Amino acid sequence: MNEQNQQTDTLQDVRDIRKLMERSSRFISLSGLSGIAAGLVALGGAWIARSIIFKEYYDGYNARKYFNPDDFATLKIQLLGLSAGVFGLAFLLAFYFTWRKSNRLGRTLWDHTSRRLFWNMLIPLVSGGLFILAMLQHNDWRFVAPSCLIFYGLALVNSSKYTLTDIRYLGYCEIIVGLINTQFIGYGLYFWALGFGLLHILYGISMWWKYERKPEQA
């Protein structure tokens, strides 16, 4: 009986040590609700672009029967503004849900693991952003949508070693969707909705189910 108790205590100690090591090396306060919220915002942005911005542009184009560079410049500005708004709102919601989970778990949101996660995600994102701006500078819009998905996926994969491994698989999926999009130029909005919208929602639901459904699993 004493041997069984000793083995049980040893196993518990190993679990405790593993949890401590995981907390010290990985940022585990990411919330599945962050992914769901970001995905819903992305789908809302795609709907606005498709149903309002593009509709207005093509209604004008069909009425004129010719290409107007001023209207096209306005379209680009509207799409860039919408993208910035979607990114900003998604980021704020993701930050809120992650901050709320950190408080619930009694952990610091900004520590050495979250800083490592931030920098490893930031480098591919900034590189991709500068690359996309260079394409826009030369009026090449063909690969903007695929580049966004690919560089975002690379950022997730690069930072996954400092957080939950589920992030890595989301990154792989984003890269695959971006690469497929390179073969279907002109359908970038739909691939954006798939990559930034649907995939985020599925990822968020999976994260919530695995880690947040029961309080003791958080």
Side-chain angles (χ1 to χ4, degrees):
M1 195 67 181
N2 290 332
E3 289 183 1
Q4 290 181 347
N5 291 336
Q6 187 175 5
Q7 290 179 351
T8 302
D9 293 339
T10 301
L11 289 174
Q12 185 61 44
D13 290 340
V14 171
R15 293 192 188 100
D16 291 339
I17 292 172
R18 183 180 178 182
K19 287 181 179 180
L20 288 173
M21 292 178 63
E22 186 179 53
R23 290 182 184 181
S24 63
S25 61
R26 290 177 179 267
F27 183 74
I28 58 176
S29 295
L30 290 178
S31 173
L33 296 178
S34 299
I36 296 173
L40 291 174
V41 170
L43 289 179
W47 181 85
I48 292 173
R50 180 68 181 86
S51 302
I52 298 177
I53 297 178
F54 277 115
K55 183 178 184 302
E56 180 180 334
Y57 172 78
Y58 282 110
D59 284 347
Y61 178 84
N62 292 330
R64 290 188 312 270
K65 303 298 184 182
Y66 64 88
F67 174 77
N68 187 326
D70 292 334
D71 285 352
F72 187 66
T74 300
L75 173 67
K76 292 191 289 185
I77 293 173
Q78 289 176 333
L79 290 176
L80 288 174
L82 177 62
S83 300
V86 167
F87 174 80
L89 181 57
F91 176 81
L92 288 175
L93 290 172
F95 177 84
Y96 167 73
F97 286 116
T98 300
W99 169 80
R100 192 178 71 167
K101 183 179 178 182
S102 295
N103 282 351
R104 189 175 72 245
L105 297 177
R107 296 170 188 166
T108 303
L109 181 61
W110 187 249
D111 56 15
H112 69 282
T113 55
S114 59
R115 285 193 292 271
R116 278 193 252 175
L117 172 66
F118 173 77
W119 287 113
N120 278 267
M121 179 172 281
L122 187 67
I123 293 172
L125 286 180
V126 171
S127 301
L130 294 175
F131 178 76
I132 291 167
L133 287 176
M135 286 195 294
L136 297 179
Q137 181 183 3
H138 296 285
N139 290 320
D140 190 348
W141 286 74
R142 293 172 301 169
F143 294 100
V144 169
S147 297
C148 289
L149 291 164
I150 292 170
F151 278 101
Y152 177 63
L154 291 173
L156 294 178
V157 173
N158 193 52
S159 60
S160 63
K161 54 184 173 290
Y162 297 113
T163 185
L164 301 170
T165 54
D166 306 70
I167 290 287
R168 181 181 304 138
Y169 301 113
L170 175 62
Y172 292 153
C173 292
E174 298 285 355
I175 293 171
I176 291 171
V177 170
L179 291 174
I180 294 174
N181 189 190
T182 62
Q183 303 304 306
F184 296 93
I185 301 302
Y187 294 90
L189 182 63
Y190 300 101
F191 281 92
W192 270 18
L194 173 60
F196 293 121
L198 184 59
L199 286 182
H200 268 113
I201 292 173
L202 294 176
Y203 152 79
I205 292 173
S206 174
M207 289 276 288
W208 180 85
W209 185 265
K210 289 173 64 176
Y211 305 111
E212 301 173 66
R213 180 168 54 100
K214 296 180 180 180
E216 63 269 18
Q217 292 180 340

mmCIF file of all heavy atoms in Angstrom, residues 31 34 41 43 79 98 100 111 114 128 132 134 141 152 157 162 174 181 185 198-199 206 210 212 214:
data_model
loop_
_atom_site.group_PDB
_atom_site.id
_atom_site.type_symbol
_atom_site.label_atom_id
_atom_site.label_comp_id
_atom_site.label_asym_id
_atom_site.label_seq_id
_atom_site.Cartn_x
_atom_site.Cartn_y
_atom_site.Cartn_z
ATOM 1 N N SER A 31 -6.696 32.184 -25.667
ATOM 2 C CA SER A 31 -8.087 31.776 -25.518
ATOM 3 C C SER A 31 -8.675 31.357 -26.852
ATOM 4 O O SER A 31 -8.448 32.013 -27.881
ATOM 5 C CB SER A 31 -8.902 32.929 -24.928
ATOM 6 O OG SER A 31 -10.282 32.627 -24.929
ATOM 7 N N SER A 34 -10.691 33.970 -28.581
ATOM 8 C CA SER A 34 -9.963 34.943 -29.407
ATOM 9 C C SER A 34 -10.027 34.542 -30.875
ATOM 10 O O SER A 34 -10.253 35.388 -31.756
ATOM 11 C CB SER A 34 -8.502 35.034 -28.957
ATOM 12 O OG SER A 34 -8.401 35.463 -27.625
ATOM 13 N N VAL A 41 -15.005 38.453 -37.073
ATOM 14 C CA VAL A 41 -14.686 39.789 -37.574
ATOM 15 C C VAL A 41 -14.214 39.706 -39.028
ATOM 16 O O VAL A 41 -14.606 40.523 -39.876
ATOM 17 C CB VAL A 41 -13.618 40.468 -36.692
ATOM 18 C CG1 VAL A 41 -13.105 41.754 -37.337
ATOM 19 C CG2 VAL A 41 -14.186 40.776 -35.312
ATOM 20 N N LEU A 43 -14.936 37.399 -41.261
ATOM 21 C CA LEU A 43 -16.079 37.091 -42.127
ATOM 22 C C LEU A 43 -16.958 38.328 -42.330
ATOM 23 O O LEU A 43 -17.467 38.564 -43.430
ATOM 24 C CB LEU A 43 -16.904 35.949 -41.524
ATOM 25 C CG LEU A 43 -16.273 34.559 -41.567
ATOM 26 C CD1 LEU A 43 -17.198 33.537 -40.924
ATOM 27 C CD2 LEU A 43 -15.948 34.147 -42.997
ATOM 28 N N LEU A 79 -10.526 49.302 -49.589
ATOM 29 C CA LEU A 79 -10.153 47.946 -49.176
ATOM 30 C C LEU A 79 -9.032 47.964 -48.146
ATOM 31 O O LEU A 79 -9.052 47.184 -47.175
ATOM 32 C CB LEU A 79 -9.733 47.130 -50.401
ATOM 33 C CG LEU A 79 -10.848 46.769 -51.383
ATOM 34 C CD1 LEU A 79 -10.288 46.055 -52.595
ATOM 35 C CD2 LEU A 79 -11.908 45.913 -50.701
ATOM 36 N N THR A 98 -7.707 36.959 -24.335
ATOM 37 C CA THR A 98 -6.471 36.409 -23.780
ATOM 38 C C THR A 98 -6.173 37.019 -22.425
ATOM 39 O O THR A 98 -5.779 36.322 -21.477
ATOM 40 C CB THR A 98 -5.297 36.658 -24.739
ATOM 41 O OG1 THR A 98 -5.577 36.034 -25.999
ATOM 42 C CG2 THR A 98 -4.009 36.077 -24.188
ATOM 43 N N ARG A 100 -8.381 38.216 -20.362
ATOM 44 C CA ARG A 100 -9.369 37.679 -19.429
ATOM 45 C C ARG A 100 -8.996 36.279 -18.964
ATOM 46 O O ARG A 100 -9.122 35.952 -17.761
ATOM 47 C CB ARG A 100 -10.755 37.650 -20.101
ATOM 48 C CG ARG A 100 -11.882 37.383 -19.137
ATOM 49 C CD ARG A 100 -13.221 37.403 -19.818
ATOM 50 N NE ARG A 100 -13.406 36.235 -20.673
ATOM 51 C CZ ARG A 100 -14.582 35.879 -21.186
ATOM 52 N NH1 ARG A 100 -15.650 36.628 -20.957
ATOM 53 N NH2 ARG A 100 -14.692 34.810 -21.946
ATOM 54 N N ASP A 111 5.047 38.440 -19.948
ATOM 55 C CA ASP A 111 6.224 37.903 -19.279
ATOM 56 C C ASP A 111 7.234 37.474 -20.338
ATOM 57 O O ASP A 111 7.083 37.785 -21.519
ATOM 58 C CB ASP A 111 5.850 36.738 -18.349
ATOM 59 C CG ASP A 111 5.113 35.625 -19.083
ATOM 60 O OD1 ASP A 111 5.130 35.608 -20.329
ATOM 61 O OD2 ASP A 111 4.500 34.774 -18.417
ATOM 62 N N SER A 114 5.622 35.322 -23.212
ATOM 63 C CA SER A 114 4.776 36.082 -24.131
ATOM 64 C C SER A 114 5.614 37.036 -24.981
ATOM 65 O O SER A 114 5.282 37.299 -26.144
ATOM 66 C CB SER A 114 3.706 36.862 -23.364
ATOM 67 O OG SER A 114 4.282 37.758 -22.451
ATOM 68 N N GLY A 128 6.408 40.242 -44.069
ATOM 69 C CA GLY A 128 5.326 40.075 -45.028
ATOM 70 C C GLY A 128 4.622 41.383 -45.327
ATOM 71 O O GLY A 128 4.273 41.663 -46.487
ATOM 72 N N ILE A 132 4.310 43.086 -48.989
ATOM 73 C CA ILE A 132 3.016 43.413 -49.578
ATOM 74 C C ILE A 132 2.951 44.892 -49.954
ATOM 75 O O ILE A 132 2.439 45.254 -51.016
ATOM 76 C CB ILE A 132 1.880 43.034 -48.602
ATOM 77 C CG1 ILE A 132 1.799 41.507 -48.486
ATOM 78 C CG2 ILE A 132 0.547 43.611 -49.065
ATOM 79 C CD1 ILE A 132 0.936 41.028 -47.347
ATOM 80 N N ALA A 134 5.428 46.676 -50.858
ATOM 81 C CA ALA A 134 6.242 46.817 -52.069
ATOM 82 C C ALA A 134 5.445 46.420 -53.305
ATOM 83 O O ALA A 134 5.545 47.065 -54.367
ATOM 84 C CB ALA A 134 7.500 45.962 -51.955
ATOM 85 N N TRP A 141 -1.501 43.768 -57.478
ATOM 86 C CA TRP A 141 -2.448 43.283 -56.470
ATOM 87 C C TRP A 141 -2.692 41.783 -56.569
ATOM 88 O O TRP A 141 -3.403 41.226 -55.746
ATOM 89 C CB TRP A 141 -3.787 44.018 -56.656
ATOM 90 C CG TRP A 141 -3.752 45.423 -56.178
ATOM 91 C CD1 TRP A 141 -3.143 46.487 -56.775
ATOM 92 C CD2 TRP A 141 -4.344 45.922 -54.984
ATOM 93 N NE1 TRP A 141 -3.317 47.623 -56.030
ATOM 94 C CE2 TRP A 141 -4.065 47.309 -54.918
ATOM 95 C CE3 TRP A 141 -5.088 45.355 -53.956
ATOM 96 C CZ2 TRP A 141 -4.507 48.117 -53.879
ATOM 97 C CZ3 TRP A 141 -5.528 46.158 -52.921
ATOM 98 C CH2 TRP A 141 -5.237 47.517 -52.883
ATOM 99 N N TYR A 152 1.257 35.150 -42.730
ATOM 100 C CA TYR A 152 0.581 34.954 -41.443
ATOM 101 C C TYR A 152 0.771 33.519 -40.957
ATOM 102 O O TYR A 152 1.043 33.279 -39.777
ATOM 103 C CB TYR A 152 -0.900 35.281 -41.581
ATOM 104 C CG TYR A 152 -1.690 35.050 -40.323
ATOM 105 C CD1 TYR A 152 -1.420 35.776 -39.161
ATOM 106 C CD2 TYR A 152 -2.710 34.105 -40.289
ATOM 107 C CE1 TYR A 152 -2.154 35.557 -38.003
ATOM 108 C CE2 TYR A 152 -3.452 33.885 -39.137
ATOM 109 C CZ TYR A 152 -3.173 34.614 -38.004
ATOM 110 O OH TYR A 152 -3.892 34.393 -36.850
ATOM 111 N N VAL A 157 3.550 29.489 -37.370
ATOM 112 C CA VAL A 157 4.461 28.346 -37.240
ATOM 113 C C VAL A 157 5.723 28.748 -36.479
ATOM 114 O O VAL A 157 6.209 28.023 -35.607
ATOM 115 C CB VAL A 157 4.819 27.781 -38.629
ATOM 116 C CG1 VAL A 157 5.898 26.706 -38.509
ATOM 117 C CG2 VAL A 157 3.577 27.197 -39.303
ATOM 118 N N TYR A 162 6.559 28.584 -28.701
ATOM 119 C CA TYR A 162 6.430 29.291 -27.431
ATOM 120 C C TYR A 162 4.993 29.330 -26.924
ATOM 121 O O TYR A 162 4.684 30.067 -25.993
ATOM 122 C CB TYR A 162 6.954 30.723 -27.565
ATOM 123 C CG TYR A 162 8.420 30.771 -27.901
ATOM 124 C CD1 TYR A 162 8.848 31.242 -29.135
ATOM 125 C CD2 TYR A 162 9.382 30.331 -26.990
ATOM 126 C CE1 TYR A 162 10.205 31.278 -29.450
ATOM 127 C CE2 TYR A 162 10.723 30.352 -27.302
ATOM 128 C CZ TYR A 162 11.128 30.833 -28.532
ATOM 129 O OH TYR A 162 12.466 30.862 -28.843
ATOM 130 N N GLU A 174 -3.050 27.832 -42.921
ATOM 131 C CA GLU A 174 -3.030 29.155 -43.549
ATOM 132 C C GLU A 174 -2.058 29.174 -44.734
ATOM 133 O O GLU A 174 -2.364 29.751 -45.793
ATOM 134 C CB GLU A 174 -2.615 30.225 -42.523
ATOM 135 C CG GLU A 174 -3.537 30.380 -41.336
ATOM 136 C CD GLU A 174 -4.822 31.103 -41.673
ATOM 137 O OE1 GLU A 174 -4.971 31.577 -42.822
ATOM 138 O OE2 GLU A 174 -5.690 31.189 -40.793
ATOM 139 N N ASN A 181 -4.369 29.693 -53.193
ATOM 140 C CA ASN A 181 -4.871 30.963 -53.709
ATOM 141 C C ASN A 181 -4.005 31.503 -54.852
ATOM 142 O O ASN A 181 -4.502 32.221 -55.723
ATOM 143 C CB ASN A 181 -4.943 31.968 -52.564
ATOM 144 C CG ASN A 181 -5.645 33.263 -52.939
ATOM 145 O OD1 ASN A 181 -5.624 34.229 -52.191
ATOM 146 N ND2 ASN A 181 -6.287 33.311 -54.081
ATOM 147 N N ILE A 185 -6.112 33.411 -58.926
ATOM 148 C CA ILE A 185 -6.037 34.864 -58.819
ATOM 149 C C ILE A 185 -7.409 35.467 -59.144
ATOM 150 O O ILE A 185 -8.068 35.062 -60.094
ATOM 151 C CB ILE A 185 -4.973 35.423 -59.783
ATOM 152 C CG1 ILE A 185 -3.597 34.813 -59.448
ATOM 153 C CG2 ILE A 185 -4.909 36.940 -59.689
ATOM 154 C CD1 ILE A 185 -3.132 35.059 -58.039
ATOM 155 N N LEU A 198 -13.041 31.326 -41.531
ATOM 156 C CA LEU A 198 -13.487 29.984 -41.165
ATOM 157 C C LEU A 198 -12.432 29.209 -40.376
ATOM 158 O O LEU A 198 -12.750 28.563 -39.363
ATOM 159 C CB LEU A 198 -13.878 29.213 -42.425
ATOM 160 C CG LEU A 198 -14.472 27.812 -42.195
ATOM 161 C CD1 LEU A 198 -15.720 27.895 -41.346
ATOM 162 C CD2 LEU A 198 -14.768 27.143 -43.534
ATOM 163 N N LEU A 199 -11.183 29.254 -40.825
ATOM 164 C CA LEU A 199 -10.132 28.510 -40.120
ATOM 165 C C LEU A 199 -9.951 29.012 -38.687
ATOM 166 O O LEU A 199 -9.737 28.218 -37.764
ATOM 167 C CB LEU A 199 -8.808 28.604 -40.882
ATOM 168 C CG LEU A 199 -8.689 27.781 -42.159
ATOM 169 C CD1 LEU A 199 -7.303 27.939 -42.770
ATOM 170 C CD2 LEU A 199 -8.971 26.309 -41.890
ATOM 171 N N SER A 206 -11.992 24.468 -31.449
ATOM 172 C CA SER A 206 -11.155 23.350 -31.020
ATOM 173 C C SER A 206 -10.380 23.698 -29.751
ATOM 174 O O SER A 206 -10.315 22.887 -28.816
ATOM 175 C CB SER A 206 -10.178 22.968 -32.141
ATOM 176 O OG SER A 206 -9.266 21.984 -31.712
ATOM 177 N N LYS A 210 -10.882 21.892 -26.067
ATOM 178 C CA LYS A 210 -9.784 21.136 -25.470
ATOM 179 C C LYS A 210 -9.302 21.726 -24.151
ATOM 180 O O LYS A 210 -8.957 20.984 -23.224
ATOM 181 C CB LYS A 210 -8.596 21.063 -26.433
ATOM 182 C CG LYS A 210 -8.831 20.175 -27.644
ATOM 183 C CD LYS A 210 -7.704 20.280 -28.636
ATOM 184 C CE LYS A 210 -6.399 19.783 -28.084
ATOM 185 N NZ LYS A 210 -5.317 19.794 -29.100
ATOM 186 N N GLU A 212 -10.664 24.953 -22.488
ATOM 187 C CA GLU A 212 -11.467 25.897 -21.710
ATOM 188 C C GLU A 212 -12.872 25.409 -21.385
ATOM 189 O O GLU A 212 -13.569 26.044 -20.594
ATOM 190 C CB GLU A 212 -11.571 27.231 -22.457
ATOM 191 C CG GLU A 212 -10.226 27.886 -22.733
ATOM 192 C CD GLU A 212 -10.355 29.113 -23.605
ATOM 193 O OE1 GLU A 212 -10.958 30.104 -23.146
ATOM 194 O OE2 GLU A 212 -9.868 29.080 -24.747
ATOM 195 N N LYS A 214 -13.872 22.949 -19.629
ATOM 196 C CA LYS A 214 -13.960 22.687 -18.193
ATOM 197 C C LYS A 214 -12.933 23.559 -17.493
ATOM 198 O O LYS A 214 -11.770 23.581 -17.886
ATOM 199 C CB LYS A 214 -13.677 21.209 -17.900
ATOM 200 C CG LYS A 214 -14.723 20.274 -18.506
ATOM 201 C CD LYS A 214 -14.396 18.825 -18.176
ATOM 202 C CE LYS A 214 -15.444 17.872 -18.772
ATOM 203 N NZ LYS A 214 -15.142 16.461 -18.472
#
